[in-house]
Amino acid sequence: MNLKKVSDGLHKLNTSQIIALGFAGVIFVGGLILRMPFCSAPGQAVTFPDAVFTAATSVCVTGLSTVVMAVQWSPIGKAVILCLIQIGGIGLIALANMIFISLRRKISLKNRRIIKESYNLDEMGGVVAVVCNVVKCVFLAEGIGAVLYAFCFVPEFGIKKGLVNAIFLAVSAFCNAGIDLFGETSLSVYVSNPLVNITTIGLIIVSGLGFIVWWDLWDKFRKVLRKELSPSRVFRVLRLQSKLVLTMTGILVFSGAFLVFIFESGNPSTLKGAPLGTKLMASFFQSVTTRTAGFYTMDQSLLSTPTVIISLLWMFIGGSPMGTAGGVKTTTIAVLILSIAAYLQGKKDVEVYGRRIRESYLRSAMVVAGTSVLILFTMTVLLSAVMPGVDLADVLYEITSAVATVGLSRGLTPQLNVAGKWIVILTMYLGRIGPLTLGTAVVMRVRNRPGSTTHLGEEDIMIG
């Protein structure tokens, strides 16, 4: 093989192609490593589809699992899974460039352009600092989470196992991976534990906001401390990205928790008879985890039908851009809702918080949402075809969870046949790279396309 030709071919790839191939490569290599005997616990052999499935659910930070993580894998296997989760959470591009930085290698212009486009930054200056800040923020948040979890798990499991569980869960929660080492019950045994609930909810929400929002809030917080900014004006001076993300996150978290509380409080299979505090924590947990985390404190197969419908919608929306969350993203849904409202009012421009949203972002939102719906529909049909007799609600829940990289299941994942496993693997992969690469590709293509001076003739069509 001519390595020069391979190298030249790689240099010709655009950002979207590099991201797509990078994730596919890590999943394949991760599957091969997990297939090795030393990654499985004694007496626990693993098939190649299950190994690839585990690698995919880790790198795509999803959380669906065809095997019991706590039983199937050896300490080495669990360490490999943790590394794959971290790669998927921080981002392949960020980690690759951090290696270059740690080796004191110069970041090429092409790599800087890749970072700029993958994080959808406006300019190329300071992209290396962005990567460093992302990694620092991730490790800081995971460290705080691990310390808080340790207060609960060390007394329960002992120092060694308690710390392992604390670190693993902190990384998994912040990366929105939804993978834990507690067996088949996830965090249901901690449904009434305030420390575990609040820490997990906090990690999921914070990581789901996105790093740009973090830095924007931190910048305004510092100005408040220096008395350069009044606390009452903080929200007003935030970037539009931060305002949309915080608004949508607040609406989804609190409205979701309220609806779950209403629908599940009388459900004898879940929260009926539970103390008020447990009902509130479980409701908030369900509202937050459906937006891409994958942990659960209530058995998803026992939820009432209205809660299942709400969970499907919340999973599809997901978190926010430039974070570890999946889904079509809060800003995508916000832009679509705002555009519909503007068109119904007869407005030419889409406006919010005193700003006009560019047409390129409207197009990107439509492409991301439309493509996600298409993937969701196609994969639901395929999984239903290869898994005859399975309830449609279970199939739709499984595929929505996979395409939004959430990880919640109504018990279908362990029952998947070989064809079903590969379908869900592909769905998780497309769900992880799809919105990211498509959104970036559409925006960059519109920005770089020169304005056209010719227009085709118009003709009326009927809509609706």
Side-chain angles (χ1 to χ4, degrees), residues 10-324:
L10 291 174
H11 278 286
K12 293 179 181 179
L13 298 176
N14 59 37
T15 302
S16 301
Q17 293 168 332
I18 290 174
I19 293 173
L21 290 175
F23 271 99
V26 173
I27 290 172
F28 180 71
V29 173
L32 290 179
I33 295 175
L34 290 174
R35 183 72 175 83
M36 299 295 178
F38 55 79
C39 284
S40 294
Q44 297 290 331
V46 65
T47 64
F48 182 66
D50 286 331
V52 175
F53 195 104
T54 302
T57 198
S58 301
V59 175
C60 298
V61 288
T62 303
L64 296 173
S65 179
T66 55
V67 298
V68 180
M69 293 289 185
V71 176
Q72 175 65 51
W73 307 107
S74 67
I76 296 178
K78 292 172 184 175
V80 171
I81 291 171
L82 189 65
C83 290
L84 293 175
I85 292 172
Q86 196 73 87
I87 291 173
I90 294 180
L92 188 61
I93 303 299
L95 282 178
N97 283 283
M98 276 305 298
I99 294 174
F100 276 102
I101 295 171
S102 62
L103 295 176
R104 301 185 182 277
R105 297 281 299 275
K106 184 178 180 181
I107 306 300
S108 67
L109 182 62
K110 180 177 178 62
N111 283 344
R112 291 174 185 270
R113 187 178 297 111
I114 291 173
I115 298 171
K116 171 182 173 291
E117 294 183 12
S118 62
Y119 285 130
N120 201 14
L121 302 175
D122 294 326
E123 55 188 30
M124 206 172 308
V127 291
V128 176
V130 168
V131 173
C132 293
N133 288 334
V134 166
V135 175
K136 289 177 182 178
C137 288
V138 169
F139 288 144
L140 175 62
E142 291 173 349
I144 294 174
V147 171
L148 293 175
Y149 281 134
F151 284 108
C152 174
F153 298 147
V154 169
E156 180 179 354
F157 299 106
I159 295 180
K160 182 179 178 181
K161 188 175 181 180
L163 289 177
V164 169
N165 284 337
I167 294 171
F168 195 100
L169 186 59
V171 173
S172 183
F174 183 83
C175 293
N176 285 199
I179 300 174
D180 59 73
L181 303 178
F182 300 110
E184 299 178 340
T185 59
S186 188
L187 301 180
S188 59
V189 294
Y190 300 103
V191 63
S192 58
N193 187 308
L195 180 58
V196 173
N197 276 264
I198 294 173
T199 302
T200 307
I201 289 173
L203 288 172
I204 295 169
I205 291 178
V206 168
S207 61
L209 292 177
F211 303 114
I212 289 180
V213 178
W214 280 27
W215 300 328
D216 195 15
L217 289 171
W218 175 244
D219 177 63
K220 304 305 182 290
F221 179 69
R222 288 189 301 176
K223 289 183 178 179
V224 170
L225 291 179
R226 294 196 296 261
K227 297 184 179 180
E228 298 174 1
L229 179 66
S230 170
S232 61
R233 296 188 67 250
V234 170
F235 186 81
R236 192 180 307 173
V237 298
L238 288 174
R239 298 177 56 174
L240 181 58
Q241 164 89 6
S242 302
K243 291 179 180 179
L244 285 177
V245 167
L246 292 173
T247 301
M248 286 296 294
T249 299
I251 291 173
L252 291 170
V253 169
F254 286 98
S255 64
F258 174 76
L259 292 172
V260 172
F261 182 85
I262 294 298
F263 296 138
E264 295 303 317
S265 288
N267 186 350
S269 300
T270 54
L271 296 181
K272 185 176 182 180
L276 178 61
T278 299
K279 288 182 178 180
L280 290 173
M281 282 192 296
S283 299
F284 271 100
F285 196 98
Q286 180 69 18
S287 176
V288 171
T289 194
T290 50
R291 297 186 51 243
T292 195
F295 303 106
Y296 65 86
T297 55
M298 291 188 292
D299 191 331
Q300 303 297 292
S301 64
L302 301 178
L303 298 175
S304 63
T305 300
T307 302
V308 170
I309 296 173
I310 293 298
S311 298
L312 286 170
L313 179 58
W314 263 231
M315 285 194 291
F316 184 77
I317 296 173
S320 303
M322 203 179 167
T324 59

Side-chain angles (χ1 to χ4, degrees), residues 330-401:
T330 54
T331 48
T332 299
I333 298 301
V335 167
L336 291 177
I337 293 174
L338 290 169
S339 62
I340 292 173
Y343 296 150
L344 288 176
Q345 296 173 33
K347 295 181 179 179
K348 182 179 179 181
D349 297 325
V350 178
E351 301 172 351
V352 61
Y353 292 123
R355 294 290 186 270
R356 181 177 65 87
I357 297 178
R358 294 176 184 172
E359 185 181 354
S360 60
Y361 293 115
L362 301 182
R363 295 183 186 182
S364 181
M366 288 188 289
V367 169
V368 170
T371 304
S372 296
V373 171
L374 180 61
I375 294 173
L376 178 63
F377 175 80
T378 303
M379 294 305 176
T380 300
V381 172
L382 290 177
L383 188 58
S384 297
V386 301
M387 298 285 293
V390 176
D391 188 72
L392 177 60
D394 294 342
V395 173
L396 184 58
Y397 210 85
E398 190 85 4
I399 292 298
T400 304
S401 180

